[in-house]
Amino acid sequence: MDDFAVLSSLVINLENSLVFLSGVDDELGTSLQDHLSFKLGSLMAKYPGVPLIFIRLTHFDCKPLAKQILSRIKL
């Protein structure tokens, strides 16, 4: 992290930074989290109404986004 600060002249705010891990076992995840000093984040968020998931989206998953887009179209 110090190298990043030296190269960019930016300092990472550890209180507001999160680490997101995928595909690693718990032991490695804990080790990375401790080494980086970041809190563990969760990807259970939605972007505009569509869940951020890593599987194929279905019609049901896209329906909130389509509804939002259609509501903004003025015919």
Side-chain angles (χ1 to χ4, degrees):
M1 297 302 156
D2 294 332
D3 293 338
F4 175 81
V6 169
L7 291 173
S8 67
S9 300
L10 300 172
V11 179
I12 298 172
N13 183 338
L14 296 176
E15 285 186 29
N16 294 331
S17 299
L18 300 172
V19 64
F20 296 91
L21 303 173
S22 177
V24 298
D25 60 37
D26 292 338
E27 184 178 332
L28 177 59
T30 301
S31 176
L32 287 170
Q33 185 181 357
D34 292 342
H35 181 71
L36 296 172
S37 302
F38 292 150
K39 297 177 217 166
L40 187 60
S42 172
L43 288 177
M44 299 304 291
K46 292 185 175 190
Y47 178 78
V50 177
L52 297 175
I53 56 177
F54 300 103
I55 58 172
R56 187 179 180 136
L57 292 174
T58 66
H59 175 267
F60 181 76
D61 295 322
C62 295
K63 193 171 182 178
L65 178 59
K67 185 177 181 180
Q68 186 177 11
I69 292 169
L70 290 173
S71 70
R72 293 183 181 189
I73 298 173
K74 295 183 181 180
L75 299 175

